[in-house]
Amino acid sequence: DGGITQSPKYLFRKEGQNVTLSCEQNLNHDAMYWYRQDPGQGLRLIYYSQIVNDFQKGDIAEGYSVSREKKESFPLTVTSAQKNPTAFYLCASSISTGFLRGTEAFFGQGTRLTVV
Amino acid sequence: AQTVTQSQPEMSVQEAETVTLSCTYDTSENNYYLFWYKQPPSRQMILVIRQEAYKQQNATENRFSVNFQKAAKSFSLKISDSQLGDTAMYFCAFIALFSGSRLTFGEGTQLTVNP
């Protein structure tokens, strides 16, 4: 079945450590996104990518990094520079071209990151 | 850059009644799509309804309909005959048709349907 998979579901990190969240899709989507969700706040865009080997910063990119070496994969690294990394992280993918952008974006089930 | 604003952090409605969630957006684009997504307690995002900006007719999907006012940059969601399963966080979202591929969400509205 086609879909988008995030792993792990829960992740614990010690302060000062980098950690990488995985996002894989087999929907043949060009566009992929990372969002952060905090209690009482909406989905804030961290990074997005429209095509392989290219990505753009969103609204809260500081302390995060991404790569897009394959169409199917868009991993997010939370670095030690991120001051408050404890949050729920959502990955999404969609068709990126023209009128097909109006089709549904598919979301993973999220990763809950906790700094201990 | 576009912004999406949802001014109602929380709303509640009695079962079987009608409720309207508000969304405004700001953009210089003329061609775009607008969406309402639902996030139930499972946190899985579900598309509720979408609207093409170039269509004047408001979109409807069963009990869900929108009131799209392009000049006012307003995009509200009406839920009729509310059901307990409608309890969720609702997000309004925007994507331009041609420039970039940034999918922007609002802050969300937590809707509670009471029995």
Side-chain angles (χ1 to χ4, degrees):
Chain A
D1 290 335
I4 181 166
T5 302
Q6 285 185 246
S7 61
K9 190 172 182 179
Y10 299 98
L11 189 57
F12 296 88
R13 189 196 92 176
K14 292 183 179 179
E15 283 192 30
Q17 287 182 339
N18 293 354
V19 65
T20 298
L21 282 59
S22 171
C23 180
E24 303 276 335
Q25 54 97 1
N26 61 3
L27 300 163
N28 200 34
H29 286 169
D30 287 306
M32 296 189 74
Y33 309 85
W34 274 106
Y35 296 92
R36 170 176 172 147
Q37 187 174 18
D38 294 286
Q41 298 197 34
L43 300 179
R44 293 188 289 169
L45 184 63
I46 306 172
Y47 270 97
Y48 63 106
S49 169
Q50 193 169 350
I51 197 169
V52 174
N53 293 322
D54 187 42
F55 47 83
Q56 289 78 41
K57 292 182 178 180
D59 298 317
I60 56 166
E62 186 176 351
Y64 300 97
S65 66
V66 293
S67 63
R68 189 82 189 276
E69 298 176 358
K70 299 187 299 181
K71 189 175 186 178
E72 302 79 15
S73 178
F74 192 42
L76 173 73
T77 297
V78 184
T79 75
S80 56
Q82 170 49 235
K83 300 299 182 188
N84 184 21
T86 294
F88 185 69
Y89 292 86
L90 273 169
C91 179
S93 71
S94 68
I95 299 173
S96 70
T97 51
F99 286 91
L100 294 176
R101 287 184 182 177
T103 54
E104 179 178 0
F106 285 80
F107 287 80
Q109 293 196 314
T111 294
R112 174 70 184 175
L113 173 64
T114 302
V115 173
V116 296
Chain B
Q2 57 267 14
T3 60
V4 179
T5 302
Q6 294 178 247
S7 59
Q8 305 155 313
E10 297 180 356
M11 293 193 72
S12 63
V13 64
Q14 292 299 120
E15 198 175 4
E17 293 187 347
T18 296
V19 63
T20 298
L21 309 183
S22 300
C23 172
T24 58
Y25 58 95
D26 188 23
T27 183
S28 58
E29 301 285 339
N30 191 48
N31 297 298
Y32 48 87
Y33 289 99
L34 294 162
F35 308 87
W36 279 99
Y37 280 86
K38 166 184 176 180
Q39 188 184 43
S42 68
R43 307 197 87 164
Q44 181 64 50
M45 296 286 284
I46 302 165
L47 177 66
V48 175
I49 197 166
R50 62 172 162 248
Q51 174 78 43
E52 297 91 334
Y54 55 87
K55 288 187 177 179
Q56 292 185 345
Q57 185 174 6
N58 289 323
T60 62
E61 288 285 344
N62 301 313
R63 298 183 295 107
F64 299 88
S65 62
V66 300
N67 183 5
F68 173 50
Q69 301 290 327
K70 191 173 184 179
K73 296 181 180 175
S74 171
F75 182 60
S76 61
L77 173 70
K78 185 172 81 171
I79 305 174
S80 305
D81 186 25
S82 297
Q83 300 176 359
L84 296 178
D86 295 333
T87 293
M89 181 74 83
Y90 287 81
F91 292 99
C92 179
F94 170 104
I95 192 167
L97 189 56
F98 296 116
S99 63
S101 62
R102 180 186 175 112
L103 178 60
T104 301
F105 285 83
E107 304 92 336
T109 297
Q110 175 63 49
L111 175 67
T112 301
V113 180
N114 299 308

mmCIF file of all heavy atoms in Angstrom, chain B residues 9-43:
data_model
loop_
_atom_site.group_PDB
_atom_site.id
_atom_site.type_symbol
_atom_site.label_atom_id
_atom_site.label_comp_id
_atom_site.label_asym_id
_atom_site.label_seq_id
_atom_site.Cartn_x
_atom_site.Cartn_y
_atom_site.Cartn_z
ATOM 1 N N PRO B 9 -9.352 29.711 18.887
ATOM 2 C CA PRO B 9 -8.549 28.584 19.378
ATOM 3 C C PRO B 9 -9.415 27.384 19.782
ATOM 4 O O PRO B 9 -9.011 26.240 19.586
ATOM 5 C CB PRO B 9 -7.832 29.153 20.596
ATOM 6 C CG PRO B 9 -7.891 30.624 20.430
ATOM 7 C CD PRO B 9 -9.160 30.917 19.671
ATOM 8 N N GLU B 10 -10.596 27.658 20.334
ATOM 9 C CA GLU B 10 -11.475 26.577 20.788
ATOM 10 C C GLU B 10 -12.929 26.917 20.468
ATOM 11 O O GLU B 10 -13.333 28.084 20.548
ATOM 12 C CB GLU B 10 -11.341 26.366 22.302
ATOM 13 C CG GLU B 10 -9.974 25.927 22.763
ATOM 14 C CD GLU B 10 -9.911 25.747 24.271
ATOM 15 O OE1 GLU B 10 -10.919 26.039 24.936
ATOM 16 O OE2 GLU B 10 -8.865 25.320 24.777
ATOM 17 N N MET B 11 -13.668 25.884 20.131
ATOM 18 C CA MET B 11 -15.109 26.041 19.935
ATOM 19 C C MET B 11 -15.799 24.773 20.401
ATOM 20 O O MET B 11 -15.191 23.686 20.408
ATOM 21 C CB MET B 11 -15.455 26.305 18.474
ATOM 22 C CG MET B 11 -14.958 27.633 17.944
ATOM 23 S SD MET B 11 -15.694 28.031 16.365
ATOM 24 C CE MET B 11 -17.376 28.419 16.839
ATOM 25 N N SER B 12 -17.060 24.925 20.782
ATOM 26 C CA SER B 12 -17.840 23.752 21.145
ATOM 27 C C SER B 12 -19.235 23.863 20.534
ATOM 28 O O SER B 12 -19.713 24.970 20.248
ATOM 29 C CB SER B 12 -17.933 23.603 22.669
ATOM 30 O OG SER B 12 -18.604 24.711 23.226
ATOM 31 N N VAL B 13 -19.844 22.712 20.332
ATOM 32 C CA VAL B 13 -21.169 22.666 19.716
ATOM 33 C C VAL B 13 -21.898 21.442 20.247
ATOM 34 O O VAL B 13 -21.268 20.432 20.616
ATOM 35 C CB VAL B 13 -21.035 22.601 18.172
ATOM 36 C CG1 VAL B 13 -20.343 21.328 17.731
ATOM 37 C CG2 VAL B 13 -22.392 22.753 17.486
ATOM 38 N N GLN B 14 -23.198 21.537 20.313
ATOM 39 C CA GLN B 14 -24.003 20.398 20.721
ATOM 40 C C GLN B 14 -24.186 19.455 19.529
ATOM 41 O O GLN B 14 -24.275 19.892 18.366
ATOM 42 C CB GLN B 14 -25.363 20.842 21.240
ATOM 43 C CG GLN B 14 -25.314 21.599 22.566
ATOM 44 C CD GLN B 14 -24.725 20.771 23.682
ATOM 45 O OE1 GLN B 14 -23.712 21.148 24.270
ATOM 46 N NE2 GLN B 14 -25.345 19.632 23.963
ATOM 47 N N GLU B 15 -24.243 18.194 19.838
ATOM 48 C CA GLU B 15 -24.489 17.179 18.822
ATOM 49 C C GLU B 15 -25.737 17.548 18.019
ATOM 50 O O GLU B 15 -26.730 18.006 18.577
ATOM 51 C CB GLU B 15 -24.682 15.823 19.506
ATOM 52 C CG GLU B 15 -24.532 14.615 18.608
ATOM 53 C CD GLU B 15 -24.608 13.307 19.391
ATOM 54 O OE1 GLU B 15 -24.855 13.354 20.615
ATOM 55 O OE2 GLU B 15 -24.417 12.246 18.780
ATOM 56 N N ALA B 16 -25.640 17.366 16.702
ATOM 57 C CA ALA B 16 -26.711 17.609 15.729
ATOM 58 C C ALA B 16 -26.857 19.088 15.344
ATOM 59 O O ALA B 16 -27.622 19.404 14.426
ATOM 60 C CB ALA B 16 -28.063 17.083 16.203
ATOM 61 N N GLU B 17 -26.138 19.970 15.998
ATOM 62 C CA GLU B 17 -26.225 21.374 15.640
ATOM 63 C C GLU B 17 -25.163 21.725 14.595
ATOM 64 O O GLU B 17 -24.339 20.906 14.214
ATOM 65 C CB GLU B 17 -26.072 22.246 16.886
ATOM 66 C CG GLU B 17 -27.249 22.088 17.841
ATOM 67 C CD GLU B 17 -27.189 23.069 18.993
ATOM 68 O OE1 GLU B 17 -26.138 23.689 19.199
ATOM 69 O OE2 GLU B 17 -28.210 23.196 19.693
ATOM 70 N N THR B 18 -25.194 22.978 14.169
ATOM 71 C CA THR B 18 -24.288 23.469 13.137
ATOM 72 C C THR B 18 -23.255 24.403 13.740
ATOM 73 O O THR B 18 -23.580 25.188 14.644
ATOM 74 C CB THR B 18 -25.075 24.201 12.033
ATOM 75 O OG1 THR B 18 -25.937 23.258 11.376
ATOM 76 C CG2 THR B 18 -24.138 24.821 10.998
ATOM 77 N N VAL B 19 -22.032 24.319 13.253
ATOM 78 C CA VAL B 19 -20.954 25.175 13.751
ATOM 79 C C VAL B 19 -20.137 25.673 12.560
ATOM 80 O O VAL B 19 -19.998 24.968 11.551
ATOM 81 C CB VAL B 19 -20.060 24.417 14.752
ATOM 82 C CG1 VAL B 19 -19.351 23.240 14.086
ATOM 83 C CG2 VAL B 19 -19.071 25.346 15.439
ATOM 84 N N THR B 20 -19.596 26.869 12.691
ATOM 85 C CA THR B 20 -18.771 27.460 11.632
ATOM 86 C C THR B 20 -17.406 27.855 12.191
ATOM 87 O O THR B 20 -17.332 28.577 13.198
ATOM 88 C CB THR B 20 -19.456 28.690 11.019
ATOM 89 O OG1 THR B 20 -20.696 28.291 10.426
ATOM 90 C CG2 THR B 20 -18.572 29.309 9.941
ATOM 91 N N LEU B 21 -16.376 27.382 11.544
ATOM 92 C CA LEU B 21 -15.002 27.708 11.930
ATOM 93 C C LEU B 21 -14.444 28.729 10.932
ATOM 94 O O LEU B 21 -14.626 28.590 9.727
ATOM 95 C CB LEU B 21 -14.127 26.448 11.903
ATOM 96 C CG LEU B 21 -14.646 25.222 12.668
ATOM 97 C CD1 LEU B 21 -13.638 24.097 12.612
ATOM 98 C CD2 LEU B 21 -14.989 25.589 14.096
ATOM 99 N N SER B 22 -13.745 29.715 11.447
ATOM 100 C CA SER B 22 -13.267 30.820 10.617
ATOM 101 C C SER B 22 -11.804 30.662 10.217
ATOM 102 O O SER B 22 -11.000 30.092 10.960
ATOM 103 C CB SER B 22 -13.433 32.144 11.367
ATOM 104 O OG SER B 22 -14.780 32.366 11.691
ATOM 105 N N CYS B 23 -11.499 31.197 9.059
ATOM 106 C CA CYS B 23 -10.120 31.200 8.569
ATOM 107 C C CYS B 23 -9.953 32.399 7.641
ATOM 108 O O CYS B 23 -10.796 32.635 6.766
ATOM 109 C CB CYS B 23 -9.805 29.920 7.810
ATOM 110 S SG CYS B 23 -8.205 29.892 6.963
ATOM 111 N N THR B 24 -8.899 33.146 7.859
ATOM 112 C CA THR B 24 -8.542 34.206 6.910
ATOM 113 C C THR B 24 -7.109 33.976 6.462
ATOM 114 O O THR B 24 -6.318 33.328 7.156
ATOM 115 C CB THR B 24 -8.683 35.601 7.519
ATOM 116 O OG1 THR B 24 -7.842 35.687 8.678
ATOM 117 C CG2 THR B 24 -10.117 35.895 7.910
ATOM 118 N N TYR B 25 -6.792 34.506 5.314
ATOM 119 C CA TYR B 25 -5.447 34.301 4.779
ATOM 120 C C TYR B 25 -4.993 35.569 4.076
ATOM 121 O O TYR B 25 -5.802 36.436 3.737
ATOM 122 C CB TYR B 25 -5.424 33.102 3.834
ATOM 123 C CG TYR B 25 -6.367 33.216 2.677
ATOM 124 C CD1 TYR B 25 -5.941 33.698 1.446
ATOM 125 C CD2 TYR B 25 -7.709 32.860 2.811
ATOM 126 C CE1 TYR B 25 -6.819 33.823 0.377
ATOM 127 C CE2 TYR B 25 -8.585 32.984 1.760
ATOM 128 C CZ TYR B 25 -8.146 33.460 0.552
ATOM 129 O OH TYR B 25 -9.020 33.592 -0.497
ATOM 130 N N ASP B 26 -3.728 35.656 3.894
ATOM 131 C CA ASP B 26 -3.163 36.817 3.215
ATOM 132 C C ASP B 26 -2.185 36.321 2.164
ATOM 133 O O ASP B 26 -1.271 35.539 2.463
ATOM 134 C CB ASP B 26 -2.450 37.732 4.214
ATOM 135 C CG ASP B 26 -2.031 39.049 3.569
ATOM 136 O OD1 ASP B 26 -2.636 39.426 2.556
ATOM 137 O OD2 ASP B 26 -1.095 39.680 4.083
ATOM 138 N N THR B 27 -2.366 36.761 0.942
ATOM 139 C CA THR B 27 -1.491 36.362 -0.144
ATOM 140 C C THR B 27 -1.592 37.360 -1.278
ATOM 141 O O THR B 27 -2.609 38.034 -1.423
ATOM 142 C CB THR B 27 -1.861 34.960 -0.657
ATOM 143 O OG1 THR B 27 -0.939 34.576 -1.672
ATOM 144 C CG2 THR B 27 -3.268 34.944 -1.226
ATOM 145 N N SER B 28 -0.536 37.435 -2.054
ATOM 146 C CA SER B 28 -0.555 38.262 -3.258
ATOM 147 C C SER B 28 -0.832 37.402 -4.496
ATOM 148 O O SER B 28 -0.948 37.925 -5.595
ATOM 149 C CB SER B 28 0.782 38.991 -3.427
ATOM 150 O OG SER B 28 1.835 38.040 -3.487
ATOM 151 N N GLU B 29 -0.953 36.102 -4.276
ATOM 152 C CA GLU B 29 -1.233 35.194 -5.381
ATOM 153 C C GLU B 29 -2.692 35.308 -5.812
ATOM 154 O O GLU B 29 -3.563 35.652 -5.009
ATOM 155 C CB GLU B 29 -0.945 33.748 -4.958
ATOM 156 C CG GLU B 29 0.482 33.493 -4.511
ATOM 157 C CD GLU B 29 1.452 33.431 -5.671
ATOM 158 O OE1 GLU B 29 0.996 33.199 -6.801
ATOM 159 O OE2 GLU B 29 2.661 33.604 -5.440
ATOM 160 N N ASN B 30 -2.952 34.982 -7.068
ATOM 161 C CA ASN B 30 -4.323 34.980 -7.561
ATOM 162 C C ASN B 30 -4.854 33.564 -7.738
ATOM 163 O O ASN B 30 -6.071 33.344 -7.702
ATOM 164 C CB ASN B 30 -4.388 35.727 -8.903
ATOM 165 C CG ASN B 30 -5.812 35.990 -9.334
ATOM 166 O OD1 ASN B 30 -6.633 36.457 -8.548
ATOM 167 N ND2 ASN B 30 -6.120 35.659 -10.574
ATOM 168 N N ASN B 31 -3.953 32.625 -7.897
ATOM 169 C CA ASN B 31 -4.347 31.233 -8.102
ATOM 170 C C ASN B 31 -3.784 30.376 -6.977
ATOM 171 O O ASN B 31 -2.569 30.317 -6.786
ATOM 172 C CB ASN B 31 -3.831 30.723 -9.454
ATOM 173 C CG ASN B 31 -4.442 31.494 -10.609
ATOM 174 O OD1 ASN B 31 -5.656 31.478 -10.803
ATOM 175 N ND2 ASN B 31 -3.618 32.196 -11.361
ATOM 176 N N TYR B 32 -4.663 29.711 -6.273
ATOM 177 C CA TYR B 32 -4.222 28.918 -5.127
ATOM 178 C C TYR B 32 -5.320 27.944 -4.720
ATOM 179 O O TYR B 32 -6.436 27.973 -5.244
ATOM 180 C CB TYR B 32 -3.865 29.832 -3.942
ATOM 181 C CG TYR B 32 -4.896 30.897 -3.623
ATOM 182 C CD1 TYR B 32 -5.964 30.625 -2.779
ATOM 183 C CD2 TYR B 32 -4.789 32.174 -4.169
ATOM 184 C CE1 TYR B 32 -6.900 31.600 -2.487
ATOM 185 C CE2 TYR B 32 -5.729 33.155 -3.881
ATOM 186 C CZ TYR B 32 -6.781 32.855 -3.042
ATOM 187 O OH TYR B 32 -7.710 33.824 -2.750
ATOM 188 N N TYR B 33 -4.955 27.078 -3.796
ATOM 189 C CA TYR B 33 -5.910 26.152 -3.206
ATOM 190 C C TYR B 33 -5.997 26.413 -1.707
ATOM 191 O O TYR B 33 -5.006 26.783 -1.075
ATOM 192 C CB TYR B 33 -5.460 24.692 -3.410
ATOM 193 C CG TYR B 33 -5.569 24.195 -4.822
ATOM 194 C CD1 TYR B 33 -4.458 24.167 -5.656
ATOM 195 C CD2 TYR B 33 -6.780 23.724 -5.328
ATOM 196 C CE1 TYR B 33 -4.549 23.690 -6.961
ATOM 197 C CE2 TYR B 33 -6.875 23.261 -6.627
ATOM 198 C CZ TYR B 33 -5.760 23.247 -7.430
ATOM 199 O OH TYR B 33 -5.854 22.778 -8.719
ATOM 200 N N LEU B 34 -7.160 26.160 -1.168
ATOM 201 C CA LEU B 34 -7.377 26.234 0.270
ATOM 202 C C LEU B 34 -7.922 24.895 0.742
ATOM 203 O O LEU B 34 -8.662 24.219 0.017
ATOM 204 C CB LEU B 34 -8.376 27.346 0.605
ATOM 205 C CG LEU B 34 -7.885 28.764 0.307
ATOM 206 C CD1 LEU B 34 -9.061 29.723 0.251
ATOM 207 C CD2 LEU B 34 -6.882 29.213 1.356
ATOM 208 N N PHE B 35 -7.549 24.521 1.952
ATOM 209 C CA PHE B 35 -7.936 23.228 2.502
ATOM 210 C C PHE B 35 -8.393 23.379 3.947
ATOM 211 O O PHE B 35 -7.967 24.291 4.665
ATOM 212 C CB PHE B 35 -6.738 22.258 2.517
ATOM 213 C CG PHE B 35 -6.004 22.104 1.211
ATOM 214 C CD1 PHE B 35 -4.980 22.977 0.884
ATOM 215 C CD2 PHE B 35 -6.312 21.087 0.347
ATOM 216 C CE1 PHE B 35 -4.283 22.839 -0.315
ATOM 217 C CE2 PHE B 35 -5.613 20.928 -0.850
ATOM 218 C CZ PHE B 35 -4.609 21.810 -1.167
ATOM 219 N N TRP B 36 -9.214 22.441 4.361
ATOM 220 C CA TRP B 36 -9.461 22.207 5.778
ATOM 221 C C TRP B 36 -9.039 20.771 6.073
ATOM 222 O O TRP B 36 -9.487 19.829 5.416
ATOM 223 C CB TRP B 36 -10.932 22.393 6.146
ATOM 224 C CG TRP B 36 -11.319 23.816 6.340
ATOM 225 C CD1 TRP B 36 -11.943 24.639 5.441
ATOM 226 C CD2 TRP B 36 -11.128 24.601 7.526
ATOM 227 N NE1 TRP B 36 -12.133 25.884 5.981
ATOM 228 C CE2 TRP B 36 -11.649 25.882 7.269
ATOM 229 C CE3 TRP B 36 -10.574 24.342 8.787
ATOM 230 C CZ2 TRP B 36 -11.629 26.909 8.217
ATOM 231 C CZ3 TRP B 36 -10.567 25.356 9.720
ATOM 232 C CH2 TRP B 36 -11.080 26.626 9.440
ATOM 233 N N TYR B 37 -8.148 20.646 7.073
ATOM 234 C CA TYR B 37 -7.722 19.337 7.546
ATOM 235 C C TYR B 37 -8.228 19.157 8.969
ATOM 236 O O TYR B 37 -8.347 20.095 9.741
ATOM 237 C CB TYR B 37 -6.196 19.217 7.548
ATOM 238 C CG TYR B 37 -5.587 18.921 6.195
ATOM 239 C CD1 TYR B 37 -5.279 19.948 5.312
ATOM 240 C CD2 TYR B 37 -5.315 17.614 5.801
ATOM 241 C CE1 TYR B 37 -4.720 19.680 4.070
ATOM 242 C CE2 TYR B 37 -4.752 17.333 4.564
ATOM 243 C CZ TYR B 37 -4.458 18.376 3.710
ATOM 244 O OH TYR B 37 -3.901 18.108 2.487
ATOM 245 N N LYS B 38 -8.465 17.906 9.309
ATOM 246 C CA LYS B 38 -8.934 17.529 10.639
ATOM 247 C C LYS B 38 -7.872 16.660 11.298
ATOM 248 O O LYS B 38 -7.285 15.785 10.639
ATOM 249 C CB LYS B 38 -10.244 16.741 10.469
ATOM 250 C CG LYS B 38 -10.736 15.987 11.663
ATOM 251 C CD LYS B 38 -11.987 15.189 11.271
ATOM 252 C CE LYS B 38 -12.484 14.333 12.411
ATOM 253 N NZ LYS B 38 -13.696 13.555 12.015
ATOM 254 N N GLN B 39 -7.616 16.929 12.579
ATOM 255 C CA GLN B 39 -6.674 16.103 13.340
ATOM 256 C C GLN B 39 -7.378 15.593 14.593
ATOM 257 O O GLN B 39 -7.447 16.301 15.591
ATOM 258 C CB GLN B 39 -5.410 16.898 13.699
ATOM 259 C CG GLN B 39 -4.316 16.039 14.327
ATOM 260 C CD GLN B 39 -3.123 16.844 14.771
ATOM 261 O OE1 GLN B 39 -3.275 17.909 15.360
ATOM 262 N NE2 GLN B 39 -1.923 16.343 14.496
ATOM 263 N N PRO B 40 -7.880 14.372 14.564
ATOM 264 C CA PRO B 40 -8.538 13.802 15.750
ATOM 265 C C PRO B 40 -7.504 13.460 16.816
ATOM 266 O O PRO B 40 -6.301 13.642 16.594
ATOM 267 C CB PRO B 40 -9.213 12.542 15.189
ATOM 268 C CG PRO B 40 -8.420 12.192 13.974
ATOM 269 C CD PRO B 40 -7.894 13.477 13.409
ATOM 270 N N PRO B 41 -7.946 12.960 17.958
ATOM 271 C CA PRO B 41 -6.988 12.628 19.031
ATOM 272 C C PRO B 41 -5.881 11.659 18.602
ATOM 273 O O PRO B 41 -4.808 11.654 19.195
ATOM 274 C CB PRO B 41 -7.890 12.021 20.108
ATOM 275 C CG PRO B 41 -9.199 12.708 19.899
ATOM 276 C CD PRO B 41 -9.331 12.875 18.406
ATOM 277 N N SER B 42 -6.113 10.862 17.583
ATOM 278 C CA SER B 42 -5.057 9.971 17.085
ATOM 279 C C SER B 42 -3.907 10.741 16.441
ATOM 280 O O SER B 42 -2.839 10.180 16.200
ATOM 281 C CB SER B 42 -5.649 9.016 16.038
ATOM 282 O OG SER B 42 -6.028 9.748 14.869
ATOM 283 N N ARG B 43 -4.144 12.010 16.157
ATOM 284 C CA ARG B 43 -3.163 12.933 15.554
ATOM 285 C C ARG B 43 -2.901 12.661 14.071
ATOM 286 O O ARG B 43 -2.003 13.263 13.493
ATOM 287 C CB ARG B 43 -1.853 12.960 16.344
ATOM 288 C CG ARG B 43 -2.050 13.254 17.815
ATOM 289 C CD ARG B 43 -0.794 13.685 18.509
ATOM 290 N NE ARG B 43 -0.587 15.116 18.400
ATOM 291 C CZ ARG B 43 0.259 15.802 19.161
ATOM 292 N NH1 ARG B 43 0.954 15.181 20.080
ATOM 293 N NH2 ARG B 43 0.421 17.086 18.992
#
